[in-house]
Amino acid sequence: MQPIKVLFISRSDQGLASSRVRIFDLLPYLKQEGIEGRVLVNPRKKNFFKLLSFLSKFLWNAPRHDIVVLQKVIPNMLFARLVRLLSKNLVYDIDDAMYELHPSMKNDSWAKQRHAKGLPRLQYLLRNADAGTKLYSTWDSGCR
């Protein structure tokens, strides 16, 4: 029997707590269960060569994995559609901080504009994912 193969598209490397806890710390446990995990870190800087390298790795790996997990990444619409097209099973991992504007930024026009620009892409991913996770962020968990 072939092991399940999971491709994680991470928001960052192990330096970011959410990526470390949600992906990197889980890899040894997945391996114990016979699940192969591979991580591709989404390039945060829009360097052409980094983007090209990331895209070629994604194009090669996505069809060869049983599950693709997007971890707190809101890609542009073209890449979002490509992820959906190439993923056998797509899991989208978000928290409220991606869907809601942080209270400290309510009066920041740049943050509002950037947030509004990302919402259609986020909604597309949420509608088209096969499964998802949602963790409440600490700043608003007391409000629920």
Side-chain angles (χ1 to χ4, degrees), residues 107-120:
N107 296 323
D108 184 333
S109 60
W110 181 83
K112 283 183 182 178
Q113 185 179 19
R114 182 179 159 124
H115 180 72
K117 185 179 176 184
L119 277 178

Side-chain angles (χ1 to χ4, degrees), residues 14 17 19-21 42 51 53 60 62 75 82 90-91 95 108-109 125 136 142:
Q14 295 182 30
S19 295
R20 186 175 55 253
V21 170
N42 187 42
L51 285 171
S53 174
W60 175 258
L82 190 60
L90 177 61
V91 175
D95 64 20
D108 184 333
S109 60
L125 288 165
Y136 292 106

Side-chain angles (χ1 to χ4, degrees), residues 9-105:
I9 307 299
S10 176
R11 183 172 173 211
S12 183
D13 59 17
Q14 295 182 30
L16 186 65
S18 64
S19 295
R20 186 175 55 253
V21 170
R22 291 175 158 178
I23 297 174
F24 292 97
D25 288 354
L26 296 177
L27 292 175
Y29 298 104
L30 293 174
K31 190 173 184 173
Q32 285 177 354
E33 297 298 321
I35 299 171
E36 291 180 15
R38 177 178 172 92
V39 182
L40 294 180
V41 177
N42 187 42
R44 301 206 29 113
K45 302 223 184 226
K46 302 306 178 199
N47 174 299
F48 175 76
F49 296 106
K50 285 183 181 180
L51 285 171
L52 188 60
S53 174
F54 171 79
L55 184 59
S56 64
K57 289 175 186 173
F58 174 77
L59 291 172
W60 175 258
N61 283 286
R64 290 165 175 75
H65 285 74
D66 301 301
I67 301 169
V68 174
V69 178
L70 281 178
Q71 187 255 335
K72 293 175 68 172
V73 174
I74 303 177
N76 66 42
M77 193 58 85
L78 179 62
F79 186 67
R81 291 177 194 269
L82 190 60
V83 169
R84 176 64 276 179
L85 180 68
L86 295 178
S87 302
K88 294 174 188 168
N89 294 288
L90 177 61
V91 175
Y92 196 55
D93 176 29
I94 71 166
D95 64 20
D96 284 351
M98 296 176 68
Y99 207 82
E100 297 289 330
L101 192 60
H102 192 279
S104 68
M105 305 219 172

